[in-house]
Amino acid sequence: MLIRIKNLFTIKGYSLFMICMLLVGTGISITMPYLSLYSTEELGMSAGSFGIFMAVSSLSGVFINSFIAKRSDNGINRKSIIVIAMLSSAIGYVSYLLFHNYFVLLIVVTLFNGLGAAAMPQIFAFAQESANASKSDDKTFALSTLRSLVSLGFLIGPLGGTLILGIAGYNGLFVGTSAIFLIIAALVVFFLRNQSNTIPTKKKNKSQTSVSIFKNRQIRYPFFAFILLFAVNAINAINTPLFIVNELHGSHAIVGIVVSVCAGLEIPIMIALGALSRKITNHSLMMISCFIAGLYFIILLTSTASWVLIAAQLLQAVFVAIVMGNGLSYFTDLLPNSPGMSATIYSNGSTIGRLVGNLGGGLFATLIGYRFVNIVCLLLVLLSFFILWRVKAYRRIDNTLEKAHTL
């Protein structure tokens, strides 16, 4: 394992990619726990209007990501895209302090945070191209390790945000977040080699990057499956704390332990699963994740004590680690010659899934109760398994298109 980790640094720019991913995760998660509080307490938004605000700004990232992805695989310099995206994110977070009118803030944040959403998939795409150029045979492990650093950032960020908020208030919180994205932009400008110097110059077939997820079942089916799996994860994140307190009569301390155990296990499991990429396919791992998640929700559905949920977090951590850590590599396997498109499909699936889960989680809990929300999650997981099973004989889309283009 140590040799494989050491070999990752033979990929050009990999150490910089690691730093950037850690900072991206940290930057996003610093404000995440406090964004709803700031918007409702300081800006006067209602809970409903804040939900609409977040939904619109999230969907803007999906559309802008899709627009950029096709063009980035056709020759637009990824380094420039990453820098512009980081600068846009910095402006987006400062905008919370500059604009207090709801509609003005909505327009500004939707535009700049939408552009900023392209940063992470483009860094993943750049890393994949660098791995190809460096002739690495461990690309899945490399991408999984990068994804684990985003998760590590999500562990560090909330703690940092709490400290900043206590010292400098909301002004320090949003300025500090913007500063992180400016630092990333500076690192990319000064230390990341230009794309033309990193990857072989090769004219790409435009048909390779114009694959529509709604026309090709090999992409469409997994894309919908990933939306469902990310929705399940978001629903679980909302419902489990409420289930522990209201149904199992557990304490808030138990909630903290459950969340911490899962988050702490995710990162080493994510790295370990990436290391297994030579022995088991990403598609098989996805189907295994559905089975594990199904078992997890059956345990939650039948549990009568809080300690059971603590023990069950091992299953939840494996499920999350596979979906988040190996999910990107799944689409990379399908589109090996279109790294921007594959990373964006994964990113968009996660964004839409979280949005659906966040909107649906509270609704389901209200309608059927906290315990029975686990039945909904179980059904969604089974549906995802069936969808992935339908495309078990998948093949590389790029290669198929290349053959079709030459006929």
Side-chain angles (χ1 to χ4, degrees), residues 157-207:
L159 176 60
T162 301
L163 295 175
I164 295 173
L165 187 64
I167 296 172
Y170 284 117
N171 288 345
L173 193 68
F174 287 106
V175 171
T177 302
S178 297
I180 290 176
F181 287 105
L182 291 176
I183 290 171
I184 300 172
L187 289 172
V188 171
V189 168
F190 292 111
F191 298 106
L192 185 61
R193 288 186 179 183
N194 196 285
Q195 188 178 16
S196 60
N197 295 327
T198 306
I199 61 172
T201 57
K202 176 183 177 182
K203 187 176 181 179
K204 296 182 180 181
N205 188 335
K206 289 187 178 182
S207 66

Side-chain angles (χ1 to χ4, degrees), residues 88-337:
S88 296
S89 291
I91 295 172
Y93 280 101
V94 168
S95 298
Y96 284 98
L97 300 176
L98 300 178
F99 304 102
H100 291 179
N101 179 275
Y102 179 83
F103 293 103
V104 173
L105 183 63
L106 177 62
I107 293 171
V108 174
V109 170
T110 296
L111 174 61
F112 286 106
N113 280 5
L115 288 169
M120 192 181 299
Q122 290 301 319
I123 293 175
F124 277 125
F126 208 130
Q128 183 188 337
E129 289 181 328
S130 294
N132 291 337
S134 302
K135 302 187 184 303
S136 172
D137 61 349
D138 222 354
K139 290 189 285 292
T140 296
F141 185 42
L143 294 178
S144 296
T145 302
L146 289 180
R147 184 60 185 81
S148 70
L149 288 168
V150 178
S151 297
L152 179 58
F154 272 78
L155 288 178
I156 297 172
L159 176 60
T162 301
L163 295 175
I164 295 173
L165 187 64
I167 296 172
Y170 284 117
N171 288 345
L173 193 68
F174 287 106
V175 171
T177 302
S178 297
I180 290 176
F181 287 105
L182 291 176
I183 290 171
I184 300 172
L187 289 172
V188 171
V189 168
F190 292 111
F191 298 106
L192 185 61
R193 288 186 179 183
N194 196 285
Q195 188 178 16
S196 60
N197 295 327
T198 306
I199 61 172
T201 57
K202 176 183 177 182
K203 187 176 181 179
K204 296 182 180 181
N205 188 335
K206 289 187 178 182
S207 66
Q208 289 177 257
T209 55
S210 60
V211 181
S212 172
I213 59 176
F214 297 106
K215 292 181 180 179
N216 194 303
R217 68 186 296 271
Q218 297 296 123
I219 300 177
R220 182 177 70 247
Y221 283 12
F223 177 71
F224 287 138
F226 270 79
I227 289 176
L228 294 177
L229 292 175
F230 273 103
V232 164
N233 189 46
I235 293 172
N236 180 68
I238 293 173
N239 186 68
T240 298
L242 298 173
F243 175 60
I244 291 172
V245 173
N246 295 292
E247 290 285 336
L248 302 182
H249 306 293
S251 65
H252 288 74
I254 295 294
V255 173
I257 292 172
V258 167
V259 174
S260 298
V261 167
C262 183
L265 290 172
E266 283 174 20
I267 297 173
I269 292 174
M270 203 175 290
I271 295 173
L273 289 170
L276 289 174
S277 59
R278 293 176 178 175
K279 298 180 179 179
I280 184 169
T281 66
N282 289 305
H283 186 80
S284 297
L285 280 173
M286 290 304 136
M287 298 186 71
I288 291 172
S289 76
C290 294
F291 175 80
I292 291 173
L295 181 60
Y296 171 75
F297 287 112
I298 290 174
I299 292 174
L300 262 62
L301 181 63
T302 58
S303 62
T304 57
S306 298
W307 68 265
V308 176
L309 271 69
I310 297 175
Q313 291 313 299
L314 176 61
L315 297 175
Q316 170 68 357
V318 174
F319 164 66
V320 173
I322 293 175
V323 174
M324 291 189 176
N326 292 77
L328 174 60
S329 298
Y330 181 95
F331 289 105
T332 299
D333 288 343
L334 290 175
L335 293 163
N337 299 320

